[in-house]
Amino acid sequence: MATTPPTRSPELRKDPVTNRWVIFSPARAKRPSDFKSKSPENPNNNSSSCPFCIGNEHQCAPEIFRVPPDPNWKLRVIENLYPALSRKLDHPNGQNDDSSSELSGLGWVVAGFGFHDVVIETPVHSVQLSDLDPSEIGDVLIAYKRRIEQIKQFDSIKYIQVFKNHGASAGASMSHSHSQMLSLPIVPPSVSTRLNSMKEHFNQTGKCSLCQVQSKDLLINETSHFFSIAPYASSFPFEIWIIPQDHSSHFDELDNKKAVDLGGLLKLILKKMALQLNNSPFNFMIHTSPIQVTDSELPYSHWFLQIIPQLTGVGGFELGSGCYINPVFPDDAAKILRELNVPI
């Protein structure tokens, strides 16, 4: 008769990158191998009215560029039809004057200038990002880089957030595979906190926290230029980070060769997640450095791609404390994903 394995004791861990405390409480979940999404994402395959499908370009907001630049495109970058910020509020060169930022009696106010773009990753409605081959995913990554290089010409833009919402419960309003880029006139607090935390680690150890983070117990897969891990203090069950092997501060330092390499690893990880987690909705975010990062910040600033499957909700404790409760230890998650064989 099989015996039930002993339950691990709860632990509190602090992430040296995000500066966030996480409570690992395995008693709050079943076995990690049984951790599945309760609401798998089933994309709507009705492409007749989808503005992101090839042939429906006239239904979209203005196009910024497409690849290749002809009617049979593979990907398009367009303006968001419902942008969070306005690209029309500022001067043509993106220069803000002092009056655009002021301290009122209630707090700071900054004019809502910025760019909110959509990257349509494929012309075919039923194709997901993980269905593309590594070079095609690499093209999507290079499109991010190209758009970042365009936006960096605007002096008032301080930070560019690349992100993907897959599935309605992850925030995707369109089932056609796409990602987004939001260019901000401020550096978000979480970015400042991350940089300050990485600076503190660097001052204490003389080393970049992400250059040191690789561990056999936390490693999932690696390539020539990137490795994927379950982070030591992961806030969410089966959270995954993909990190450049070589120290790199800005995502837009990515070249074509590394983009294909990253595309292959991202494809593998997304396939493993879909198989293990019942095609769970997910978010991914590219955490890069602010555009105007100083030379002194470069030694400890290291970009990475974070993937969060939508398996648990965020409750009052998390919202009130800033701490998270994770029912799955990262080494357990890493072992399950590492040993999972997925045909590519």
Side-chain angles (χ1 to χ4, degrees):
M1 180 177 178
T3 59
T4 302
T7 301
R8 295 175 66 173
S9 299
E11 286 184 13
L12 279 80
R13 296 183 180 182
K14 187 179 182 182
D15 191 313
V17 176
T18 64
N19 201 38
R20 178 184 291 162
W21 282 99
V22 179
I23 300 172
F24 288 93
S25 182
R28 294 169 65 91
K30 295 184 290 184
R31 294 177 303 161
S33 57
D34 294 334
F35 217 99
K36 305 283 186 180
S37 171
K38 296 177 182 178
S39 54
E41 177 60 19
N42 295 309
N44 177 9
N45 290 323
N46 180 14
S47 61
S48 60
S49 60
C50 173
F52 289 177
C53 287
I54 193 165
N56 294 343
E57 294 87 352
H58 61 284
Q59 299 181 32
C60 293
E63 179 179 293
I64 299 167
F65 63 82
R66 64 173 64 184
V67 179
D70 60 54
N72 294 319
W73 52 272
K74 290 185 176 180
L75 67 88
R76 296 174 71 225
V77 179
I78 64 172
E79 298 179 14
N80 194 307
L81 191 60
Y82 306 102
L85 295 169
S86 173
R87 63 188 70 216
K88 298 178 180 179
L89 284 180
D90 209 6
H91 303 298
N93 65 352
Q95 296 279 355
N96 276 328
D97 57 32
D98 291 338
S99 64
S100 64
S101 177
E102 61 183 24
L103 180 62
S104 70
L106 299 176
W108 283 98
V109 178
V110 178
F113 169 78
F115 299 92
H116 192 173
D117 305 321
V118 176
V119 180
I120 305 172
E121 300 158 348
T122 169
V124 182
H125 193 88
S126 59
V127 174
Q128 296 300 316
L129 184 65
S130 59
D131 297 324
L132 302 178
D133 65 37
S135 64
E136 291 172 326
I137 299 176
D139 289 340
V140 174
L141 299 169
I142 291 299
Y144 299 157
K145 168 191 169 90
R146 178 177 168 185
R147 184 59 180 147
I148 289 171
E149 289 173 339
Q150 292 176 344
I151 294 171
K152 284 170 69 174
Q153 306 306 313
F154 291 82
D155 293 339
S156 59
I157 296 299
K158 309 301 182 186
Y159 191 76
I160 303 173
Q161 181 67 68
V162 179
F163 63 98
K164 178 177 176 65
N165 303 329
H166 173 81
S169 62
S173 58
M174 300 285 290
S175 58
H176 192 121
S177 188
H178 69 284
S179 40
Q180 300 181 61
M181 304 177 67
L182 195 53
S183 305
L184 302 165
I186 59 159
V187 177
S190 62
V191 177
S192 299
T193 299
R194 169 166 53 87
L195 288 176
N196 289 336
S197 182
M198 296 176 83
K199 178 182 180 181
E200 181 180 353
H201 182 89
F202 183 80
N203 289 341
Q204 292 174 349
T205 66
K207 297 180 180 179
C208 165
S209 54
L210 283 180
C211 288
Q212 285 190 296
V213 77
Q214 192 166 354
S215 158
K216 288 184 178 180
D217 290 337
L218 300 177
L219 182 68
I220 301 171
N221 292 98
E222 62 181 328
T223 64
S224 299
H225 300 288
F226 297 90
F227 63 95
S228 57
I229 63 164
Y232 172 75
S234 47
S235 298
F236 304 93
F238 288 89
E239 177 182 344
I240 300 164
W241 292 2
I242 300 179
I243 304 169
Q245 297 268 15
D246 297 327
H247 185 81
S248 176
S249 297
H250 288 95
F251 168 79
D252 55 296
E253 295 170 342
L254 190 74
D255 61 25
N256 291 334
K257 181 179 179 181
K258 291 182 179 178
V260 175
D261 191 60
L262 176 55
L265 182 55
L266 181 56
K267 177 183 177 72
L268 175 62
I269 292 299
L270 292 179
K271 287 287 189 183
K272 286 191 170 191
M273 279 175 44
L275 183 61
Q276 177 61 35
L277 305 177
N278 198 25
N279 196 24
S280 166
F282 67 84
N283 306 96
F284 80 52
M285 295 73 64
I286 294 175
H287 299 289
T288 187
S289 298
I291 292 174
Q292 297 163 353
V293 67
T294 64
D295 289 344
S296 64
E297 293 171 315
L298 294 177
Y300 56 81
S301 177
H302 193 142
W303 76 265
F304 64 101
L305 190 154
Q306 178 188 28
I307 309 172
I308 299 176
Q310 290 294 330
L311 299 170
T312 57
V314 175
F317 173 77
E318 287 84 359
L319 294 172
S321 67
C323 299
Y324 285 73
I325 300 175
N326 189 342
V328 182
F329 274 95
D331 48 313
D332 291 334
K335 184 176 187 296
I336 290 167
L337 294 172
R338 183 171 59 245
E339 296 177 353
L340 187 62
N341 291 320
V342 176
I344 298 297

mmCIF file of all heavy atoms in Angstrom, residues 75 119 121 128-144 251 254 256 258-271 284 305 344:
data_model
loop_
_atom_site.group_PDB
_atom_site.id
_atom_site.type_symbol
_atom_site.label_atom_id
_atom_site.label_comp_id
_atom_site.label_asym_id
_atom_site.label_seq_id
_atom_site.Cartn_x
_atom_site.Cartn_y
_atom_site.Cartn_z
ATOM 1 N N LEU A 75 3.399 39.113 -39.605
ATOM 2 C CA LEU A 75 3.033 39.796 -38.363
ATOM 3 C C LEU A 75 2.843 41.269 -38.659
ATOM 4 O O LEU A 75 3.414 41.809 -39.615
ATOM 5 C CB LEU A 75 4.071 39.568 -37.264
ATOM 6 C CG LEU A 75 5.476 40.158 -37.404
ATOM 7 C CD1 LEU A 75 5.557 41.586 -36.848
ATOM 8 C CD2 LEU A 75 6.503 39.298 -36.700
ATOM 9 N N VAL A 119 0.919 43.872 -31.163
ATOM 10 C CA VAL A 119 1.690 43.050 -32.096
ATOM 11 C C VAL A 119 0.842 41.837 -32.450
ATOM 12 O O VAL A 119 0.599 40.974 -31.602
ATOM 13 C CB VAL A 119 3.035 42.617 -31.484
ATOM 14 C CG1 VAL A 119 3.823 41.752 -32.485
ATOM 15 C CG2 VAL A 119 3.858 43.834 -31.068
ATOM 16 N N GLU A 121 0.655 38.492 -33.902
ATOM 17 C CA GLU A 121 1.773 37.557 -34.029
ATOM 18 C C GLU A 121 1.654 36.600 -35.210
ATOM 19 O O GLU A 121 2.646 35.992 -35.616
ATOM 20 C CB GLU A 121 1.901 36.751 -32.725
ATOM 21 C CG GLU A 121 2.161 37.644 -31.524
ATOM 22 C CD GLU A 121 1.787 37.010 -30.195
ATOM 23 O OE1 GLU A 121 1.114 35.948 -30.208
ATOM 24 O OE2 GLU A 121 2.139 37.584 -29.154
ATOM 25 N N GLN A 128 -1.609 29.706 -32.504
ATOM 26 C CA GLN A 128 -1.120 30.355 -31.287
ATOM 27 C C GLN A 128 0.390 30.572 -31.376
ATOM 28 O O GLN A 128 1.067 29.980 -32.223
ATOM 29 C CB GLN A 128 -1.477 29.515 -30.064
ATOM 30 C CG GLN A 128 -2.968 29.370 -29.829
ATOM 31 C CD GLN A 128 -3.670 30.700 -29.617
ATOM 32 O OE1 GLN A 128 -3.191 31.565 -28.892
ATOM 33 N NE2 GLN A 128 -4.818 30.874 -30.264
ATOM 34 N N LEU A 129 0.925 31.410 -30.490
ATOM 35 C CA LEU A 129 2.358 31.710 -30.515
ATOM 36 C C LEU A 129 3.189 30.432 -30.426
ATOM 37 O O LEU A 129 4.186 30.277 -31.130
ATOM 38 C CB LEU A 129 2.710 32.658 -29.359
ATOM 39 C CG LEU A 129 4.171 33.133 -29.305
ATOM 40 C CD1 LEU A 129 4.516 33.985 -30.523
ATOM 41 C CD2 LEU A 129 4.435 33.917 -28.020
ATOM 42 N N SER A 130 2.764 29.494 -29.576
ATOM 43 C CA SER A 130 3.529 28.254 -29.401
ATOM 44 C C SER A 130 3.456 27.335 -30.619
ATOM 45 O O SER A 130 4.208 26.371 -30.715
ATOM 46 C CB SER A 130 3.034 27.505 -28.161
ATOM 47 O OG SER A 130 1.654 27.194 -28.278
ATOM 48 N N ASP A 131 2.545 27.616 -31.564
ATOM 49 C CA ASP A 131 2.461 26.830 -32.798
ATOM 50 C C ASP A 131 3.491 27.273 -33.824
ATOM 51 O O ASP A 131 3.790 26.529 -34.767
ATOM 52 C CB ASP A 131 1.065 26.955 -33.425
ATOM 53 C CG ASP A 131 -0.029 26.399 -32.542
ATOM 54 O OD1 ASP A 131 0.218 25.380 -31.864
ATOM 55 O OD2 ASP A 131 -1.138 26.980 -32.517
ATOM 56 N N LEU A 132 4.013 28.477 -33.675
ATOM 57 C CA LEU A 132 5.001 28.996 -34.618
ATOM 58 C C LEU A 132 6.339 28.285 -34.419
ATOM 59 O O LEU A 132 6.625 27.758 -33.347
ATOM 60 C CB LEU A 132 5.182 30.499 -34.416
ATOM 61 C CG LEU A 132 3.927 31.371 -34.568
ATOM 62 C CD1 LEU A 132 4.275 32.835 -34.298
ATOM 63 C CD2 LEU A 132 3.297 31.209 -35.937
ATOM 64 N N ASP A 133 7.177 28.287 -35.453
ATOM 65 C CA ASP A 133 8.502 27.695 -35.277
ATOM 66 C C ASP A 133 9.427 28.726 -34.633
ATOM 67 O O ASP A 133 9.101 29.915 -34.551
ATOM 68 C CB ASP A 133 9.051 27.150 -36.599
ATOM 69 C CG ASP A 133 9.312 28.226 -37.647
ATOM 70 O OD1 ASP A 133 9.743 29.340 -37.293
ATOM 71 O OD2 ASP A 133 9.092 27.948 -38.842
ATOM 72 N N PRO A 134 10.591 28.299 -34.123
ATOM 73 C CA PRO A 134 11.469 29.229 -33.395
ATOM 74 C C PRO A 134 11.830 30.489 -34.163
ATOM 75 O O PRO A 134 11.883 31.581 -33.581
ATOM 76 C CB PRO A 134 12.703 28.369 -33.102
ATOM 77 C CG PRO A 134 12.166 26.976 -32.983
ATOM 78 C CD PRO A 134 11.082 26.907 -34.032
ATOM 79 N N SER A 135 12.050 30.375 -35.482
ATOM 80 C CA SER A 135 12.419 31.567 -36.245
ATOM 81 C C SER A 135 11.245 32.530 -36.360
ATOM 82 O O SER A 135 11.433 33.755 -36.368
ATOM 83 C CB SER A 135 12.913 31.166 -37.639
ATOM 84 O OG SER A 135 11.885 30.558 -38.387
ATOM 85 N N GLU A 136 10.014 31.997 -36.430
ATOM 86 C CA GLU A 136 8.836 32.863 -36.493
ATOM 87 C C GLU A 136 8.591 33.560 -35.158
ATOM 88 O O GLU A 136 8.215 34.739 -35.123
ATOM 89 C CB GLU A 136 7.615 32.043 -36.903
ATOM 90 C CG GLU A 136 7.662 31.557 -38.351
ATOM 91 C CD GLU A 136 6.543 30.581 -38.676
ATOM 92 O OE1 GLU A 136 6.158 29.801 -37.775
ATOM 93 O OE2 GLU A 136 6.068 30.584 -39.824
ATOM 94 N N ILE A 137 8.800 32.840 -34.048
ATOM 95 C CA ILE A 137 8.711 33.499 -32.740
ATOM 96 C C ILE A 137 9.829 34.532 -32.625
ATOM 97 O O ILE A 137 9.632 35.626 -32.071
ATOM 98 C CB ILE A 137 8.781 32.467 -31.601
ATOM 99 C CG1 ILE A 137 7.602 31.483 -31.706
ATOM 100 C CG2 ILE A 137 8.756 33.170 -30.237
ATOM 101 C CD1 ILE A 137 7.632 30.376 -30.682
ATOM 102 N N GLY A 138 10.998 34.198 -33.170
ATOM 103 C CA GLY A 138 12.103 35.159 -33.205
ATOM 104 C C GLY A 138 11.724 36.429 -33.944
ATOM 105 O O GLY A 138 12.104 37.537 -33.534
ATOM 106 N N ASP A 139 10.950 36.304 -35.018
ATOM 107 C CA ASP A 139 10.487 37.487 -35.760
ATOM 108 C C ASP A 139 9.604 38.369 -34.881
ATOM 109 O O ASP A 139 9.662 39.602 -34.957
ATOM 110 C CB ASP A 139 9.707 37.061 -36.998
ATOM 111 C CG ASP A 139 10.587 36.458 -38.081
ATOM 112 O OD1 ASP A 139 11.810 36.691 -38.057
ATOM 113 O OD2 ASP A 139 10.050 35.742 -38.954
ATOM 114 N N VAL A 140 8.768 37.743 -34.053
ATOM 115 C CA VAL A 140 7.919 38.502 -33.129
ATOM 116 C C VAL A 140 8.802 39.263 -32.136
ATOM 117 O O VAL A 140 8.577 40.456 -31.865
ATOM 118 C CB VAL A 140 6.935 37.572 -32.388
ATOM 119 C CG1 VAL A 140 6.166 38.338 -31.316
ATOM 120 C CG2 VAL A 140 5.965 36.915 -33.375
ATOM 121 N N LEU A 141 9.814 38.592 -31.597
ATOM 122 C CA LEU A 141 10.719 39.231 -30.633
ATOM 123 C C LEU A 141 11.484 40.389 -31.280
ATOM 124 O O LEU A 141 11.667 41.445 -30.659
ATOM 125 C CB LEU A 141 11.690 38.186 -30.076
ATOM 126 C CG LEU A 141 11.051 37.023 -29.313
ATOM 127 C CD1 LEU A 141 12.078 35.939 -29.042
ATOM 128 C CD2 LEU A 141 10.419 37.489 -28.012
ATOM 129 N N ILE A 142 11.908 40.198 -32.522
ATOM 130 C CA ILE A 142 12.614 41.270 -33.223
ATOM 131 C C ILE A 142 11.669 42.432 -33.535
ATOM 132 O O ILE A 142 12.086 43.597 -33.562
ATOM 133 C CB ILE A 142 13.267 40.728 -34.511
ATOM 134 C CG1 ILE A 142 14.428 39.771 -34.153
ATOM 135 C CG2 ILE A 142 13.786 41.853 -35.397
ATOM 136 C CD1 ILE A 142 15.560 40.422 -33.356
ATOM 137 N N ALA A 143 10.376 42.138 -33.733
ATOM 138 C CA ALA A 143 9.402 43.218 -33.911
ATOM 139 C C ALA A 143 9.306 44.068 -32.649
ATOM 140 O O ALA A 143 9.203 45.306 -32.720
ATOM 141 C CB ALA A 143 8.032 42.636 -34.277
ATOM 142 N N TYR A 144 9.320 43.415 -31.471
ATOM 143 C CA TYR A 144 9.369 44.180 -30.215
ATOM 144 C C TYR A 144 10.586 45.103 -30.220
ATOM 145 O O TYR A 144 10.479 46.292 -29.895
ATOM 146 C CB TYR A 144 9.486 43.256 -29.006
ATOM 147 C CG TYR A 144 8.383 42.270 -28.765
ATOM 148 C CD1 TYR A 144 8.635 41.108 -28.016
ATOM 149 C CD2 TYR A 144 7.086 42.467 -29.230
ATOM 150 C CE1 TYR A 144 7.634 40.179 -27.758
ATOM 151 C CE2 TYR A 144 6.085 41.543 -28.978
ATOM 152 C CZ TYR A 144 6.366 40.401 -28.239
ATOM 153 O OH TYR A 144 5.390 39.474 -27.980
ATOM 154 N N PHE A 251 16.445 44.559 -23.222
ATOM 155 C CA PHE A 251 15.912 43.560 -24.148
ATOM 156 C C PHE A 251 16.267 43.888 -25.588
ATOM 157 O O PHE A 251 16.544 42.989 -26.395
ATOM 158 C CB PHE A 251 14.392 43.464 -23.997
ATOM 159 C CG PHE A 251 13.736 42.673 -25.091
ATOM 160 C CD1 PHE A 251 13.750 41.281 -25.065
ATOM 161 C CD2 PHE A 251 13.118 43.318 -26.157
ATOM 162 C CE1 PHE A 251 13.167 40.545 -26.090
ATOM 163 C CE2 PHE A 251 12.526 42.589 -27.183
ATOM 164 C CZ PHE A 251 12.553 41.198 -27.147
ATOM 165 N N LEU A 254 18.939 42.400 -28.042
ATOM 166 C CA LEU A 254 18.746 41.096 -28.667
ATOM 167 C C LEU A 254 19.076 41.172 -30.165
ATOM 168 O O LEU A 254 18.594 42.062 -30.861
ATOM 169 C CB LEU A 254 17.295 40.662 -28.472
ATOM 170 C CG LEU A 254 16.899 39.234 -28.833
ATOM 171 C CD1 LEU A 254 17.417 38.253 -27.794
ATOM 172 C CD2 LEU A 254 15.372 39.133 -28.943
ATOM 173 N N ASN A 256 19.413 38.851 -34.027
ATOM 174 C CA ASN A 256 18.600 37.863 -34.738
ATOM 175 C C ASN A 256 18.896 36.437 -34.295
ATOM 176 O O ASN A 256 17.977 35.629 -34.117
ATOM 177 C CB ASN A 256 18.812 38.000 -36.247
ATOM 178 C CG ASN A 256 18.216 39.284 -36.810
ATOM 179 O OD1 ASN A 256 17.266 39.825 -36.248
ATOM 180 N ND2 ASN A 256 18.762 39.762 -37.912
ATOM 181 N N LYS A 258 20.110 35.334 -31.392
ATOM 182 C CA LYS A 258 19.599 35.097 -30.046
ATOM 183 C C LYS A 258 18.068 35.106 -30.023
ATOM 184 O O LYS A 258 17.463 34.413 -29.205
ATOM 185 C CB LYS A 258 20.168 36.137 -29.073
ATOM 186 C CG LYS A 258 21.663 35.956 -28.820
ATOM 187 C CD LYS A 258 22.190 36.972 -27.821
ATOM 188 C CE LYS A 258 23.686 36.745 -27.561
ATOM 189 N NZ LYS A 258 24.242 37.745 -26.622
ATOM 190 N N ALA A 259 17.460 35.856 -30.925
ATOM 191 C CA ALA A 259 15.998 35.881 -30.986
ATOM 192 C C ALA A 259 15.452 34.511 -31.390
ATOM 193 O O ALA A 259 14.456 34.041 -30.821
ATOM 194 C CB ALA A 259 15.536 36.949 -31.972
ATOM 195 N N VAL A 260 16.099 33.856 -32.338
ATOM 196 C CA VAL A 260 15.669 32.511 -32.749
ATOM 197 C C VAL A 260 15.908 31.516 -31.609
ATOM 198 O O VAL A 260 15.067 30.648 -31.336
ATOM 199 C CB VAL A 260 16.409 32.073 -34.024
ATOM 200 C CG1 VAL A 260 16.052 30.624 -34.381
ATOM 201 C CG2 VAL A 260 16.063 32.989 -35.192
ATOM 202 N N ASP A 261 17.030 31.659 -30.918
ATOM 203 C CA ASP A 261 17.345 30.795 -29.786
ATOM 204 C C ASP A 261 16.300 30.959 -28.678
ATOM 205 O O ASP A 261 15.777 29.977 -28.137
ATOM 206 C CB ASP A 261 18.740 31.137 -29.262
ATOM 207 C CG ASP A 261 19.258 30.126 -28.255
ATOM 208 O OD1 ASP A 261 19.391 28.945 -28.612
ATOM 209 O OD2 ASP A 261 19.517 30.519 -27.101
ATOM 210 N N LEU A 262 15.956 32.207 -28.371
ATOM 211 C CA LEU A 262 14.932 32.486 -27.373
ATOM 212 C C LEU A 262 13.568 31.991 -27.857
ATOM 213 O O LEU A 262 12.779 31.458 -27.067
ATOM 214 C CB LEU A 262 14.889 33.984 -27.074
ATOM 215 C CG LEU A 262 13.800 34.472 -26.118
ATOM 216 C CD1 LEU A 262 13.849 33.736 -24.786
ATOM 217 C CD2 LEU A 262 13.918 35.979 -25.901
ATOM 218 N N GLY A 263 13.308 32.134 -29.148
ATOM 219 C CA GLY A 263 12.049 31.655 -29.702
ATOM 220 C C GLY A 263 11.862 30.164 -29.504
ATOM 221 O O GLY A 263 10.771 29.693 -29.172
ATOM 222 N N GLY A 264 12.936 29.407 -29.672
ATOM 223 C CA GLY A 264 12.858 27.959 -29.469
ATOM 224 C C GLY A 264 12.596 27.593 -28.025
ATOM 225 O O GLY A 264 11.797 26.692 -27.729
ATOM 226 N N LEU A 265 13.266 28.290 -27.098
ATOM 227 C CA LEU A 265 13.068 27.992 -25.678
ATOM 228 C C LEU A 265 11.680 28.432 -25.227
ATOM 229 O O LEU A 265 11.014 27.710 -24.464
ATOM 230 C CB LEU A 265 14.148 28.684 -24.846
ATOM 231 C CG LEU A 265 14.103 28.430 -23.335
ATOM 232 C CD1 LEU A 265 14.140 26.941 -23.012
ATOM 233 C CD2 LEU A 265 15.255 29.160 -22.625
ATOM 234 N N LEU A 266 11.221 29.583 -25.687
ATOM 235 C CA LEU A 266 9.883 30.052 -25.323
ATOM 236 C C LEU A 266 8.816 29.090 -25.838
ATOM 237 O O LEU A 266 7.858 28.766 -25.129
ATOM 238 C CB LEU A 266 9.659 31.458 -25.876
ATOM 239 C CG LEU A 266 8.309 32.120 -25.581
ATOM 240 C CD1 LEU A 266 8.033 32.176 -24.084
ATOM 241 C CD2 LEU A 266 8.251 33.525 -26.187
ATOM 242 N N LYS A 267 8.992 28.602 -27.048
ATOM 243 C CA LYS A 267 8.056 27.620 -27.612
ATOM 244 C C LYS A 267 8.008 26.369 -26.740
ATOM 245 O O LYS A 267 6.926 25.868 -26.401
ATOM 246 C CB LYS A 267 8.482 27.264 -29.027
ATOM 247 C CG LYS A 267 7.623 26.183 -29.702
ATOM 248 C CD LYS A 267 8.165 25.844 -31.082
ATOM 249 C CE LYS A 267 7.364 24.721 -31.732
ATOM 250 N NZ LYS A 267 6.013 25.172 -32.158
ATOM 251 N N LEU A 268 9.178 25.857 -26.355
ATOM 252 C CA LEU A 268 9.247 24.649 -25.534
ATOM 253 C C LEU A 268 8.547 24.856 -24.195
ATOM 254 O O LEU A 268 7.757 24.004 -23.748
ATOM 255 C CB LEU A 268 10.710 24.257 -25.312
ATOM 256 C CG LEU A 268 10.965 23.072 -24.374
ATOM 257 C CD1 LEU A 268 10.328 21.797 -24.911
ATOM 258 C CD2 LEU A 268 12.477 22.877 -24.155
ATOM 259 N N ILE A 269 8.815 25.985 -23.547
ATOM 260 C CA ILE A 269 8.225 26.249 -22.234
ATOM 261 C C ILE A 269 6.708 26.392 -22.343
ATOM 262 O O ILE A 269 5.952 25.857 -21.514
ATOM 263 C CB ILE A 269 8.857 27.506 -21.612
ATOM 264 C CG1 ILE A 269 10.334 27.246 -21.258
ATOM 265 C CG2 ILE A 269 8.081 27.951 -20.381
ATOM 266 C CD1 ILE A 269 10.543 26.138 -20.255
ATOM 267 N N LEU A 270 6.224 27.105 -23.354
ATOM 268 C CA LEU A 270 4.779 27.269 -23.521
ATOM 269 C C LEU A 270 4.101 25.930 -23.814
ATOM 270 O O LEU A 270 2.989 25.670 -23.342
ATOM 271 C CB LEU A 270 4.480 28.273 -24.633
ATOM 272 C CG LEU A 270 4.871 29.727 -24.356
ATOM 273 C CD1 LEU A 270 4.538 30.615 -25.559
ATOM 274 C CD2 LEU A 270 4.197 30.268 -23.096
ATOM 275 N N LYS A 271 4.770 25.068 -24.577
ATOM 276 C CA LYS A 271 4.223 23.730 -24.852
ATOM 277 C C LYS A 271 4.164 22.905 -23.570
ATOM 278 O O LYS A 271 3.175 22.192 -23.316
ATOM 279 C CB LYS A 271 5.085 23.026 -25.896
ATOM 280 C CG LYS A 271 4.940 23.554 -27.309
ATOM 281 C CD LYS A 271 3.608 23.152 -27.929
ATOM 282 C CE LYS A 271 3.538 23.471 -29.402
ATOM 283 N NZ LYS A 271 2.219 23.148 -30.000
ATOM 284 N N PHE A 284 2.700 36.785 -20.049
ATOM 285 C CA PHE A 284 4.152 36.944 -19.974
ATOM 286 C C PHE A 284 4.523 38.407 -20.107
ATOM 287 O O PHE A 284 3.820 39.187 -20.757
ATOM 288 C CB PHE A 284 4.920 36.010 -20.917
ATOM 289 C CG PHE A 284 5.030 36.387 -22.375
ATOM 290 C CD1 PHE A 284 5.482 37.634 -22.798
ATOM 291 C CD2 PHE A 284 4.755 35.439 -23.355
ATOM 292 C CE1 PHE A 284 5.636 37.946 -24.132
ATOM 293 C CE2 PHE A 284 4.899 35.733 -24.697
ATOM 294 C CZ PHE A 284 5.332 37.001 -25.088
ATOM 295 N N LEU A 305 12.407 37.458 -19.077
ATOM 296 C CA LEU A 305 11.011 37.259 -19.479
ATOM 297 C C LEU A 305 10.328 36.413 -18.423
ATOM 298 O O LEU A 305 10.804 35.331 -18.085
ATOM 299 C CB LEU A 305 10.957 36.589 -20.857
ATOM 300 C CG LEU A 305 9.596 36.494 -21.560
ATOM 301 C CD1 LEU A 305 9.806 36.413 -23.080
ATOM 302 C CD2 LEU A 305 8.784 35.278 -21.106
ATOM 303 N N ILE A 344 8.562 18.790 -30.196
ATOM 304 C CA ILE A 344 8.533 20.124 -30.817
ATOM 305 C C ILE A 344 8.622 19.961 -32.334
ATOM 306 O O ILE A 344 9.548 19.368 -32.826
ATOM 307 C CB ILE A 344 9.682 21.008 -30.293
ATOM 308 C CG1 ILE A 344 9.541 21.238 -28.786
ATOM 309 C CG2 ILE A 344 9.695 22.328 -31.034
ATOM 310 C CD1 ILE A 344 8.292 21.984 -28.375
#
